Amino acid sequence: MEHARRRERSHVIRALRLLRTRHPRTFTEKVRYKMLRDHRPLLVTFADKAAVRDYVADRVGDGYLPRAYGILDDPDDIRSLELPDRFVVKPTHGSGAAIVVSPAAPADARLPEARWGWTYRHVDPSRADRAALAEIGRHWIRQLYGQGPNREWAYGLVPRRILVEEMLAGPDGSIPDDYKVFVFHGRAHFIQVDAGRFGGRTQDFYTPTWTHLPMSGGPPWAHPPRPRPERLDEIVRIAETLGAETDFVRVDLYSLPDRIAFGELTSYPAGGESPFDPISFDAEFGRPWTVPRRY
């Protein structure tokens, strides 16, 4: 009886949310609209950090993929992998969680306790005990991601596994700059650049022709302003190719000294809660996006 009441209450809440999001205008409103209405299998592929590798390889070639050391159904299998002193461990069914292992990590950094769940940490190889990594992986596999008020439903359909892959490094061995390209209907319109993830973090927004936008998503701007990337045209081309089959996706790419590397495809940035300062940019980001009446 109680289960039936909860299910009925859930249906009522969903109906109210569908009603409230019928005519979205801003970017955040359209992300929530998409979360509630777009249930195509393509979004599950985008959310799955293992399956999306095949999607990327088919469309732009596997040369843009980080090397995969293992895709594990059992997190304990990490104990037997042959790994370099730089690698990344992440769940295939979530976003924003990863353990980065490299000698460039702060000396005092430690692995988080497994119970803390969706965490992002950078540790030295001497601190990356395999048994502890396996325990973190087991905790990830027990969790469902994105089950908040708007329900990022796609993650719930992704097989729960652990991906161990190449650590992508910038010129000084640190985490490289992250180029997040907002692609609407196969065209890139905005580029978010995150740098200094583990210290001195900055965040800037640009047009595809590298005009800096006077807006903030939280972290400060880079100073001095960053020059136009040498591979900007390639970044835009890859992003538009990967985003060609949907109305919106954010394509995350890394700029390395010798190549561009794929990060992830994100259908629901910040779960529909992206901050914009000034708030007028919420409407600006929503303008290129025409959401369909029916997916």
Side-chain angles (χ1 to χ4, degrees):
M1 180 69 73
E2 179 60 29
H3 177 72
R5 280 198 294 265
R6 284 200 301 269
R7 186 169 57 189
E8 181 179 356
R9 189 160 56 245
S10 176
H11 289 329
V12 170
I13 291 171
R14 176 175 171 78
L16 288 172
R17 287 179 181 141
L18 286 167
L19 185 65
R20 292 189 191 119
T21 59
R22 281 182 305 171
H23 305 293
R25 294 185 311 103
T26 67
F27 177 76
T28 53
E29 288 171 350
K30 291 178 180 181
V31 170
R32 294 169 194 158
Y33 178 98
K34 186 176 184 69
M35 290 169 73
L36 286 165
R37 292 167 171 81
D38 188 357
H39 282 222
R40 292 173 295 160
L42 180 65
L43 272 68
V44 181
T45 299
F46 286 179
D48 185 337
K49 285 183 170 53
V52 77
R53 292 176 57 87
D54 292 333
Y55 184 88
V56 171
D58 285 345
R59 281 148 185 83
V60 297
D62 58 10
Y64 289 103
L65 290 168
R67 178 182 176 187
Y69 301 117
I71 299 174
L72 313 177
D73 293 307
D74 183 350
D76 277 328
D77 288 345
I78 196 172
R79 297 169 182 254
S80 59
L81 288 182
E82 291 188 17
L83 296 171
D85 64 353
R86 299 171 183 268
F87 60 92
V88 180
V89 184
K90 60 180 70 170
T92 60
H93 62 291
S95 181
I99 304 298
V100 179
V101 178
S102 86
D108 59 348
R110 301 290 185 273
L111 287 175
E113 294 182 40
R115 64 189 178 91
W116 292 117
W118 305 103
T119 55
Y120 199 109
R121 195 68 58 86
H122 187 191
V123 299
D124 185 87
S126 65
R127 306 291 183 185
D129 177 75
R130 295 292 185 91
L133 288 174
E135 182 59 31
I136 291 169
R138 281 193 294 274
H139 182 75
W140 281 339
I141 281 178
R142 291 193 293 267
Q143 309 304 311
L144 276 176
Y145 179 82
Q147 302 303 298
N150 291 306
R151 293 185 64 84
E152 298 179 48
W153 65 273
Y155 291 104
L157 299 182
V158 175
R160 301 186 206 176
R161 297 184 286 180
I162 301 301
L163 171 62
V164 186
E165 67 179 11
E166 170 191 4
M167 179 205 162
L168 304 174
D172 59 356
S174 63
I175 306 298
D177 292 351
D178 189 357
Y179 291 78
K180 302 177 183 292
V181 187
F182 292 72
V183 180
F184 304 95
H185 309 287
R187 294 291 303 277
H189 285 267
F190 308 103
I191 303 174
Q192 173 185 331
V193 185
D194 288 1
R197 184 184 291 271
F198 291 107
R201 185 182 176 191
T202 62
Q203 185 180 89
D204 295 84
F205 291 85
Y206 298 87
T207 67
T209 56
W210 212 245
T211 298
H212 191 271
L213 299 175
M215 65 160 286
S216 171
W221 296 345
H223 184 77
R226 62 181 65 248
R228 175 190 169 102
E230 291 182 7
R231 294 188 174 90
L232 179 60
D233 292 343
E234 185 180 5
I235 288 170
V236 170
R237 177 181 60 79
I238 296 168
E240 291 184 339
T241 302
L242 293 177
E245 296 183 54
T246 189
D247 55 317
F248 164 73
V249 69
R250 195 189 74 198
V251 181
D252 295 2
L253 303 168
Y254 291 98
S255 178
L256 308 181
D258 60 342
R259 73 190 202 274
I260 302 300
F262 173 76
E264 64 180 27
L265 298 180
T266 302
S267 298
Y268 320 125
E273 300 291 342
S274 297
F276 289 92
D277 182 17
I279 194 63
S280 60
F281 275 96
D282 195 3
E284 184 70 19
F285 270 57
R287 193 166 290 117
W289 185 1
T290 303
V291 293
R293 288 285 301 273
R294 192 179 295 272
Y295 281 99

